[in-house]
Each structure stands twice: as C-alpha cells, then as structure tokens.
PDB file of all heavy atoms in Angstrom:
ATOM      1  N   ALA A   1      93.724 123.228  81.840  1.00  0.00           N
ATOM      2  CA  ALA A   1      95.145 123.567  81.977  1.00  0.00           C
ATOM      3  C   ALA A   1      95.367 124.793  82.870  1.00  0.00           C
ATOM      4  O   ALA A   1      96.113 124.704  83.854  1.00  0.00           O
ATOM      5  CB  ALA A   1      95.784 123.756  80.604  1.00  0.00           C
ATOM      6  N   PRO A   2      94.749 125.943  82.581  1.00  0.00           N
ATOM      7  CA  PRO A   2      94.998 127.083  83.468  1.00  0.00           C
ATOM      8  C   PRO A   2      94.430 126.889  84.872  1.00  0.00           C
ATOM      9  O   PRO A   2      95.007 127.373  85.852  1.00  0.00           O
ATOM     10  CB  PRO A   2      94.332 128.264  82.756  1.00  0.00           C
ATOM     11  CG  PRO A   2      93.424 127.690  81.754  1.00  0.00           C
ATOM     12  CD  PRO A   2      93.918 126.321  81.430  1.00  0.00           C
ATOM     13  N   THR A   3      93.319 126.162  84.972  1.00  0.00           N
ATOM     14  CA  THR A   3      92.749 125.912  86.297  1.00  0.00           C
ATOM     15  C   THR A   3      93.669 125.012  87.109  1.00  0.00           C
ATOM     16  O   THR A   3      93.853 125.227  88.314  1.00  0.00           O
ATOM     17  CB  THR A   3      91.347 125.289  86.172  1.00  0.00           C
ATOM     18  OG1 THR A   3      90.561 126.107  85.307  1.00  0.00           O
ATOM     19  CG2 THR A   3      90.667 125.189  87.507  1.00  0.00           C
ATOM     20  N   ALA A   4      94.255 124.012  86.471  1.00  0.00           N
ATOM     21  CA  ALA A   4      95.182 123.125  87.172  1.00  0.00           C
ATOM     22  C   ALA A   4      96.435 123.878  87.614  1.00  0.00           C
ATOM     23  O   ALA A   4      96.937 123.666  88.722  1.00  0.00           O
ATOM     24  CB  ALA A   4      95.555 121.946  86.283  1.00  0.00           C
ATOM     25  N   VAL A   5      96.934 124.774  86.768  1.00  0.00           N
ATOM     26  CA  VAL A   5      98.105 125.579  87.153  1.00  0.00           C
ATOM     27  C   VAL A   5      97.757 126.457  88.355  1.00  0.00           C
ATOM     28  O   VAL A   5      98.521 126.546  89.323  1.00  0.00           O
ATOM     29  CB  VAL A   5      98.594 126.427  85.960  1.00  0.00           C
ATOM     30  CG1 VAL A   5      99.620 127.454  86.398  1.00  0.00           C
ATOM     31  CG2 VAL A   5      99.177 125.526  84.878  1.00  0.00           C
ATOM     32  N   ALA A   6      96.607 127.100  88.311  1.00  0.00           N
ATOM     33  CA  ALA A   6      96.193 127.944  89.438  1.00  0.00           C
ATOM     34  C   ALA A   6      95.994 127.108  90.697  1.00  0.00           C
ATOM     35  O   ALA A   6      96.364 127.534  91.800  1.00  0.00           O
ATOM     36  CB  ALA A   6      94.905 128.691  89.087  1.00  0.00           C
ATOM     37  N   LEU A   7      95.442 125.908  90.542  1.00  0.00           N
ATOM     38  CA  LEU A   7      95.250 125.031  91.697  1.00  0.00           C
ATOM     39  C   LEU A   7      96.594 124.605  92.282  1.00  0.00           C
ATOM     40  O   LEU A   7      96.769 124.573  93.495  1.00  0.00           O
ATOM     41  CB  LEU A   7      94.425 123.807  91.300  1.00  0.00           C
ATOM     42  CG  LEU A   7      94.009 122.884  92.431  1.00  0.00           C
ATOM     43  CD1 LEU A   7      93.093 123.618  93.389  1.00  0.00           C
ATOM     44  CD2 LEU A   7      93.326 121.649  91.869  1.00  0.00           C
ATOM     45  N   TRP A   8      97.551 124.302  91.428  1.00  0.00           N
ATOM     46  CA  TRP A   8      98.893 123.933  91.894  1.00  0.00           C
ATOM     47  C   TRP A   8      99.502 125.071  92.713  1.00  0.00           C
ATOM     48  O   TRP A   8     100.086 124.858  93.767  1.00  0.00           O
ATOM     49  CB  TRP A   8      99.779 123.595  90.706  1.00  0.00           C
ATOM     50  CG  TRP A   8     101.165 123.211  91.083  1.00  0.00           C
ATOM     51  CD1 TRP A   8     102.264 124.025  91.134  1.00  0.00           C
ATOM     52  CD2 TRP A   8     101.608 121.925  91.506  1.00  0.00           C
ATOM     53  NE1 TRP A   8     103.363 123.313  91.538  1.00  0.00           N
ATOM     54  CE2 TRP A   8     102.993 122.021  91.777  1.00  0.00           C
ATOM     55  CE3 TRP A   8     100.981 120.702  91.676  1.00  0.00           C
ATOM     56  CZ2 TRP A   8     103.745 120.942  92.207  1.00  0.00           C
ATOM     57  CZ3 TRP A   8     101.731 119.628  92.097  1.00  0.00           C
ATOM     58  CH2 TRP A   8     103.089 119.754  92.361  1.00  0.00           C
ATOM     59  N   MET A   9      99.329 126.297  92.235  1.00  0.00           N
ATOM     60  CA  MET A   9      99.908 127.440  92.926  1.00  0.00           C
ATOM     61  C   MET A   9      99.193 127.734  94.246  1.00  0.00           C
ATOM     62  O   MET A   9      99.798 128.283  95.162  1.00  0.00           O
ATOM     63  CB  MET A   9      99.867 128.671  92.008  1.00  0.00           C
ATOM     64  CG  MET A   9     100.797 128.520  90.828  1.00  0.00           C
ATOM     65  SD  MET A   9     100.673 129.749  89.512  1.00  0.00           S
ATOM     66  CE  MET A   9     100.205 131.225  90.291  1.00  0.00           C
ATOM     67  N   ASN A  10      97.929 127.340  94.372  1.00  0.00           N
ATOM     68  CA  ASN A  10      97.147 127.644  95.574  1.00  0.00           C
ATOM     69  C   ASN A  10      97.106 126.512  96.594  1.00  0.00           C
ATOM     70  O   ASN A  10      96.396 126.631  97.591  1.00  0.00           O
ATOM     71  CB  ASN A  10      95.707 128.004  95.183  1.00  0.00           C
ATOM     72  CG  ASN A  10      95.604 129.379  94.591  1.00  0.00           C
ATOM     73  OD1 ASN A  10      96.220 130.315  95.080  1.00  0.00           O
ATOM     74  ND2 ASN A  10      94.842 129.502  93.540  1.00  0.00           N
ATOM     75  N   THR A  11      97.837 125.428  96.355  1.00  0.00           N
ATOM     76  CA  THR A  11      97.746 124.293  97.284  1.00  0.00           C
ATOM     77  C   THR A  11      99.092 123.943  97.898  1.00  0.00           C
ATOM     78  O   THR A  11      99.353 122.781  98.192  1.00  0.00           O
ATOM     79  CB  THR A  11      97.179 123.049  96.567  1.00  0.00           C
ATOM     80  OG1 THR A  11      97.989 122.751  95.426  1.00  0.00           O
ATOM     81  CG2 THR A  11      95.745 123.256  96.174  1.00  0.00           C
ATOM     82  N   LYS A  12      99.934 124.915  98.124  1.00  0.00           N
ATOM     83  CA  LYS A  12     101.218 124.647  98.764  1.00  0.00           C
ATOM     84  C   LYS A  12     100.987 124.056 100.151  1.00  0.00           C
ATOM     85  O   LYS A  12     100.158 124.525 100.910  1.00  0.00           O
ATOM     86  CB  LYS A  12     102.030 125.931  98.860  1.00  0.00           C
ATOM     87  CG  LYS A  12     102.470 126.424  97.508  1.00  0.00           C
ATOM     88  CD  LYS A  12     103.279 127.692  97.619  1.00  0.00           C
ATOM     89  CE  LYS A  12     103.744 128.068  96.241  1.00  0.00           C
ATOM     90  NZ  LYS A  12     103.487 129.382  95.851  1.00  0.00           N
ATOM     91  N   GLY A  13     101.745 123.014 100.478  1.00  0.00           N
ATOM     92  CA  GLY A  13     101.633 122.392 101.777  1.00  0.00           C
ATOM     93  C   GLY A  13     100.591 121.287 101.862  1.00  0.00           C
ATOM     94  O   GLY A  13     100.573 120.531 102.814  1.00  0.00           O
ATOM     95  N   ARG A  14      99.727 121.182 100.886  1.00  0.00           N
ATOM     96  CA  ARG A  14      98.722 120.112 100.894  1.00  0.00           C
ATOM     97  C   ARG A  14      98.547 119.516  99.504  1.00  0.00           C
ATOM     98  O   ARG A  14      97.496 118.997  99.148  1.00  0.00           O
ATOM     99  CB  ARG A  14      97.391 120.623 101.428  1.00  0.00           C
ATOM    100  CG  ARG A  14      96.872 121.831 100.724  1.00  0.00           C
ATOM    101  CD  ARG A  14      95.730 122.483 101.468  1.00  0.00           C
ATOM    102  NE  ARG A  14      95.335 123.662 100.726  1.00  0.00           N
ATOM    103  CZ  ARG A  14      94.120 123.876 100.285  1.00  0.00           C
ATOM    104  NH1 ARG A  14      93.177 123.032 100.520  1.00  0.00           N
ATOM    105  NH2 ARG A  14      93.847 124.969  99.616  1.00  0.00           N
ATOM    106  N   ARG A  15      99.605 119.568  98.718  1.00  0.00           N
ATOM    107  CA  ARG A  15      99.510 119.115  97.331  1.00  0.00           C
ATOM    108  C   ARG A  15      99.218 117.634  97.205  1.00  0.00           C
ATOM    109  O   ARG A  15      98.446 117.227  96.337  1.00  0.00           O
ATOM    110  CB  ARG A  15     100.793 119.471  96.581  1.00  0.00           C
ATOM    111  CG  ARG A  15     100.867 120.931  96.278  1.00  0.00           C
ATOM    112  CD  ARG A  15     101.952 121.250  95.291  1.00  0.00           C
ATOM    113  NE  ARG A  15     101.898 122.667  94.987  1.00  0.00           N
ATOM    114  CZ  ARG A  15     102.963 123.437  94.869  1.00  0.00           C
ATOM    115  NH1 ARG A  15     104.159 122.930  95.006  1.00  0.00           N
ATOM    116  NH2 ARG A  15     102.818 124.713  94.599  1.00  0.00           N
ATOM    117  N   ALA A  16      99.817 116.797  98.019  1.00  0.00           N
ATOM    118  CA  ALA A  16      99.591 115.352  97.896  1.00  0.00           C
ATOM    119  C   ALA A  16      98.120 115.015  98.127  1.00  0.00           C
ATOM    120  O   ALA A  16      97.522 114.250  97.374  1.00  0.00           O
ATOM    121  CB  ALA A  16     100.473 114.589  98.872  1.00  0.00           C
ATOM    122  N   ARG A  17      97.535 115.601  99.148  1.00  0.00           N
ATOM    123  CA  ARG A  17      96.131 115.323  99.470  1.00  0.00           C
ATOM    124  C   ARG A  17      95.207 115.819  98.364  1.00  0.00           C
ATOM    125  O   ARG A  17      94.179 115.214  98.085  1.00  0.00           O
ATOM    126  CB  ARG A  17      95.783 115.983 100.796  1.00  0.00           C
ATOM    127  CG  ARG A  17      94.416 115.631 101.298  1.00  0.00           C
ATOM    128  CD  ARG A  17      94.148 116.231 102.630  1.00  0.00           C
ATOM    129  NE  ARG A  17      94.624 117.613 102.668  1.00  0.00           N
ATOM    130  CZ  ARG A  17      94.468 118.426 103.680  1.00  0.00           C
ATOM    131  NH1 ARG A  17      93.875 118.001 104.757  1.00  0.00           N
ATOM    132  NH2 ARG A  17      94.898 119.660 103.646  1.00  0.00           N
ATOM    133  N   VAL A  18      95.573 116.914  97.722  1.00  0.00           N
ATOM    134  CA  VAL A  18      94.741 117.464  96.660  1.00  0.00           C
ATOM    135  C   VAL A  18      94.987 116.743  95.345  1.00  0.00           C
ATOM    136  O   VAL A  18      94.049 116.362  94.638  1.00  0.00           O
ATOM    137  CB  VAL A  18      95.000 118.985  96.499  1.00  0.00           C
ATOM    138  CG1 VAL A  18      94.331 119.529  95.250  1.00  0.00           C
ATOM    139  CG2 VAL A  18      94.526 119.736  97.726  1.00  0.00           C
ATOM    140  N   TRP A  19      96.236 116.533  94.996  1.00  0.00           N
ATOM    141  CA  TRP A  19      96.550 116.053  93.657  1.00  0.00           C
ATOM    142  C   TRP A  19      96.446 114.547  93.470  1.00  0.00           C
ATOM    143  O   TRP A  19      96.262 114.081  92.344  1.00  0.00           O
ATOM    144  CB  TRP A  19      97.925 116.563  93.232  1.00  0.00           C
ATOM    145  CG  TRP A  19      97.815 117.997  92.840  1.00  0.00           C
ATOM    146  CD1 TRP A  19      98.047 119.079  93.611  1.00  0.00           C
ATOM    147  CD2 TRP A  19      97.352 118.484  91.590  1.00  0.00           C
ATOM    148  NE1 TRP A  19      97.760 120.223  92.922  1.00  0.00           N
ATOM    149  CE2 TRP A  19      97.347 119.879  91.668  1.00  0.00           C
ATOM    150  CE3 TRP A  19      96.939 117.886  90.406  1.00  0.00           C
ATOM    151  CZ2 TRP A  19      96.951 120.689  90.616  1.00  0.00           C
ATOM    152  CZ3 TRP A  19      96.551 118.691  89.351  1.00  0.00           C
ATOM    153  CH2 TRP A  19      96.560 120.071  89.465  1.00  0.00           C
ATOM    154  N   LEU A  20      96.542 113.763  94.520  1.00  0.00           N
ATOM    155  CA  LEU A  20      96.442 112.316  94.365  1.00  0.00           C
ATOM    156  C   LEU A  20      95.089 111.898  93.763  1.00  0.00           C
ATOM    157  O   LEU A  20      95.055 111.154  92.772  1.00  0.00           O
ATOM    158  CB  LEU A  20      96.702 111.618  95.700  1.00  0.00           C
ATOM    159  CG  LEU A  20      96.764 110.101  95.641  1.00  0.00           C
ATOM    160  CD1 LEU A  20      97.898 109.640  94.732  1.00  0.00           C
ATOM    161  CD2 LEU A  20      96.945 109.535  97.032  1.00  0.00           C
ATOM    162  N   PRO A  21      93.957 112.362  94.277  1.00  0.00           N
ATOM    163  CA  PRO A  21      92.681 111.992  93.647  1.00  0.00           C
ATOM    164  C   PRO A  21      92.535 112.535  92.223  1.00  0.00           C
ATOM    165  O   PRO A  21      91.998 111.856  91.344  1.00  0.00           O
ATOM    166  CB  PRO A  21      91.619 112.603  94.559  1.00  0.00           C
ATOM    167  CG  PRO A  21      92.298 112.925  95.825  1.00  0.00           C
ATOM    168  CD  PRO A  21      93.735 113.117  95.513  1.00  0.00           C
ATOM    169  N   ILE A  22      93.014 113.742  92.000  1.00  0.00           N
ATOM    170  CA  ILE A  22      92.894 114.340  90.663  1.00  0.00           C
ATOM    171  C   ILE A  22      93.691 113.538  89.654  1.00  0.00           C
ATOM    172  O   ILE A  22      93.203 113.203  88.568  1.00  0.00           O
ATOM    173  CB  ILE A  22      93.353 115.818  90.691  1.00  0.00           C
ATOM    174  CG1 ILE A  22      92.394 116.645  91.548  1.00  0.00           C
ATOM    175  CG2 ILE A  22      93.439 116.375  89.278  1.00  0.00           C
ATOM    176  CD1 ILE A  22      92.876 118.054  91.834  1.00  0.00           C
ATOM    177  N   VAL A  23      94.919 113.196  90.003  1.00  0.00           N
ATOM    178  CA  VAL A  23      95.761 112.416  89.096  1.00  0.00           C
ATOM    179  C   VAL A  23      95.185 111.015  88.893  1.00  0.00           C
ATOM    180  O   VAL A  23      95.155 110.502  87.772  1.00  0.00           O
ATOM    181  CB  VAL A  23      97.220 112.370  89.610  1.00  0.00           C
ATOM    182  CG1 VAL A  23      98.052 111.368  88.831  1.00  0.00           C
ATOM    183  CG2 VAL A  23      97.844 113.756  89.541  1.00  0.00           C
ATOM    184  N   ALA A  24      94.694 110.398  89.957  1.00  0.00           N
ATOM    185  CA  ALA A  24      94.128 109.045  89.843  1.00  0.00           C
ATOM    186  C   ALA A  24      92.934 109.026  88.884  1.00  0.00           C
ATOM    187  O   ALA A  24      92.859 108.170  87.988  1.00  0.00           O
ATOM    188  CB  ALA A  24      93.716 108.533  91.216  1.00  0.00           C
ATOM    189  N   LEU A  25      92.006 109.966  89.050  1.00  0.00           N
ATOM    190  CA  LEU A  25      90.846 110.009  88.161  1.00  0.00           C
ATOM    191  C   LEU A  25      91.251 110.384  86.740  1.00  0.00           C
ATOM    192  O   LEU A  25      90.702 109.842  85.773  1.00  0.00           O
ATOM    193  CB  LEU A  25      89.805 110.994  88.688  1.00  0.00           C
ATOM    194  CG  LEU A  25      88.945 110.493  89.829  1.00  0.00           C
ATOM    195  CD1 LEU A  25      88.040 111.601  90.352  1.00  0.00           C
ATOM    196  CD2 LEU A  25      88.104 109.311  89.401  1.00  0.00           C
ATOM    197  N   SER A  26      92.198 111.292  86.596  1.00  0.00           N
ATOM    198  CA  SER A  26      92.644 111.695  85.261  1.00  0.00           C
ATOM    199  C   SER A  26      93.299 110.535  84.522  1.00  0.00           C
ATOM    200  O   SER A  26      93.031 110.315  83.334  1.00  0.00           O
ATOM    201  CB  SER A  26      93.608 112.873  85.352  1.00  0.00           C
ATOM    202  OG  SER A  26      92.962 113.992  85.903  1.00  0.00           O
ATOM    203  N   VAL A  27      94.143 109.789  85.210  1.00  0.00           N
ATOM    204  CA  VAL A  27      94.797 108.639  84.577  1.00  0.00           C
ATOM    205  C   VAL A  27      93.754 107.593  84.177  1.00  0.00           C
ATOM    206  O   VAL A  27      93.811 107.030  83.079  1.00  0.00           O
ATOM    207  CB  VAL A  27      95.873 108.047  85.511  1.00  0.00           C
ATOM    208  CG1 VAL A  27      96.339 106.682  85.040  1.00  0.00           C
ATOM    209  CG2 VAL A  27      97.048 108.999  85.619  1.00  0.00           C
ATOM    210  N   ALA A  28      92.786 107.337  85.061  1.00  0.00           N
ATOM    211  CA  ALA A  28      91.727 106.379  84.733  1.00  0.00           C
ATOM    212  C   ALA A  28      90.918 106.857  83.520  1.00  0.00           C
ATOM    213  O   ALA A  28      90.594 106.062  82.629  1.00  0.00           O
ATOM    214  CB  ALA A  28      90.815 106.164  85.936  1.00  0.00           C
TER     215      ALA A  28
END
C-alpha cells in the first residue's frame, strides 16, 4: 500500500505505462 502510493506520486506523466502491467497482474 505505501509503496504503491509512493509509486503513484513518482510516476506523473507515465502512469499508464507503469500502472497497466501492475493492475493487470494484480487483478489476475
């Protein structure tokens, strides 16, 4: 949880490229 929040705050401008794989694997 805190790592994901920090990652969200540090990936402005490239969130889709970063978060799409993370969300896909997490949902699976």
Side-chain angles (χ1 to χ4, degrees):
T3 308
V5 169
L7 187 63
W8 180 265
M9 292 170 32
N10 285 318
T11 56
K12 292 180 177 129
R14 54 193 178 123
R15 286 193 176 138
R17 187 177 43 176
V18 170
W19 283 95
L20 186 61
I22 294 170
V23 170
L25 282 175
S26 297
V27 167

